[in-house]
Amino acid sequence: MTQPYVLGIAGSPRRAGNSEQLLDALLGGAHDAGAQTRKLVPAEMSILPCSGCNSCTLTAECVLADEMSSVYAEFDAADAIVIASPVYFAGVPGTLKVLIDRMQPYWARTYVLGTPRPARRPGGFLLVRSSGDPYGFTGAEHTIRSVFAVLGIDVIVEEKVAGLDEGDDIGRRPDALASARAHGVQLAGAARGR
Ligand SMILES: Cc1cc2nc3c(=O)[nH]c(=O)nc-3n(C[C@H](O)[C@H](O)[C@H](O)COP(=O)(O)O)c2cc1C
């Protein structure tokens, strides 16, 4: 049986912070359940913002030449994808949003060019935020669900943890880390069975 591949996107520009620790717990669970795992950190990659040129609606490809070519390859190869992110001003950090906007060629293939959709895959998200914000997780969650819809990813695991400020605050939430790990086990199983 081939090993399922679970891809994690660490959406925070702060390395080893709350969302990345949750992601590491999830990927650790997936690994221990037999999956191959990999983590991409958009903030440390050279990714240009989508220019809105719409070339992808004609060619199905992005005209920009940068590190997104390796991101596209990983997204195409993954059996399951999970995005971990903090809430920034009700949305996701700009570095993650730049990567998400560059998924427009998948939208063009599905909704303009009618290219057959790849098989649906399981996925999920891990969101963290501070507190005292009236907008909560809504904006960030909708952004991630929107791109997952275009990519044909079914959200089967989700976790939202509020009240985290400093980068190691998640250490006070062993319950959340254990839950993320269990999500990884679940995702590996779903990725294997797809
Ligand atoms: C630029 C910036 C914007 C933020 N905006 C929000 C917000 O709108 N709502 C919120 O609850 N927390 C907000 N936060 C707090 C982060 O979501 C919180 O510190 C989170 O735990 C950071 O996760 P990380 O450690 O994975 O980077 C913001 C933090 C930064 C740096």
Side-chain angles (χ1 to χ4, degrees):
M1 187 184 289
T2 53
Q3 208 181 10
Y5 170 27
V6 178
L7 174 64
I9 308 299
S12 180
R14 176 161 71 177
R15 295 304 312 272
N18 299 309
S19 54
E20 189 169 350
Q21 288 187 55
L22 278 177
L23 180 62
D24 288 344
L26 184 150
L27 294 176
H31 176 268
D32 291 350
Q36 175 197 346
T37 63
R38 186 164 297 163
K39 180 169 70 179
L40 298 181
V41 184
E44 296 193 346
M45 303 180 79
S46 178
I47 303 175
L48 295 163
C50 173
S51 63
C53 72
N54 275 344
S55 292
C56 60
T57 61
L58 301 174
T59 66
E61 306 294 336
C62 184
V63 295
L64 300 173
D66 57 14
E67 278 193 77
M68 268 309 282
S69 53
S70 62
V71 176
Y72 292 136
E74 298 301 335
F75 269 69
D76 289 341
D79 296 303
I81 298 174
V82 60
I83 295 179
S85 178
V87 173
Y88 272 17
F89 288 101
V92 298
T95 43
L96 173 60
K97 187 60 164 58
V98 166
L99 182 148
I100 288 173
D101 289 352
R102 291 287 298 282
M103 293 294 160
Q104 184 72 346
Y106 293 95
W107 178 88
R109 284 173 210 162
T110 302
Y111 296 106
V112 180
L113 300 170
T115 308
R117 221 189 230 284
R120 298 195 72 84
R121 293 171 287 178
F125 60 83
L126 306 166
L127 288 173
V128 302
R129 68 179 187 90
S130 181
S131 52
D133 163 13
Y135 304 108
F137 291 102
T138 308
E141 177 175 348
H142 285 183
T143 295
I144 292 169
R145 285 188 182 276
S146 171
V147 73
F148 276 175
V150 163
L151 293 168
I153 293 173
D154 297 315
V155 174
I156 66 161
V157 299
E158 62 179 275
E159 187 164 337
K160 302 173 208 165
V161 188
L164 306 175
D165 290 303
E166 301 305 321
D168 54 2
D169 278 352
I170 194 70
R172 292 185 285 101
R173 295 293 307 273
D175 57 321
L177 290 164
S179 169
R181 187 181 159 73
H183 288 323
V185 174
Q186 186 184 346
L187 214 44
R192 182 180 287 107
R194 84 184 182 99

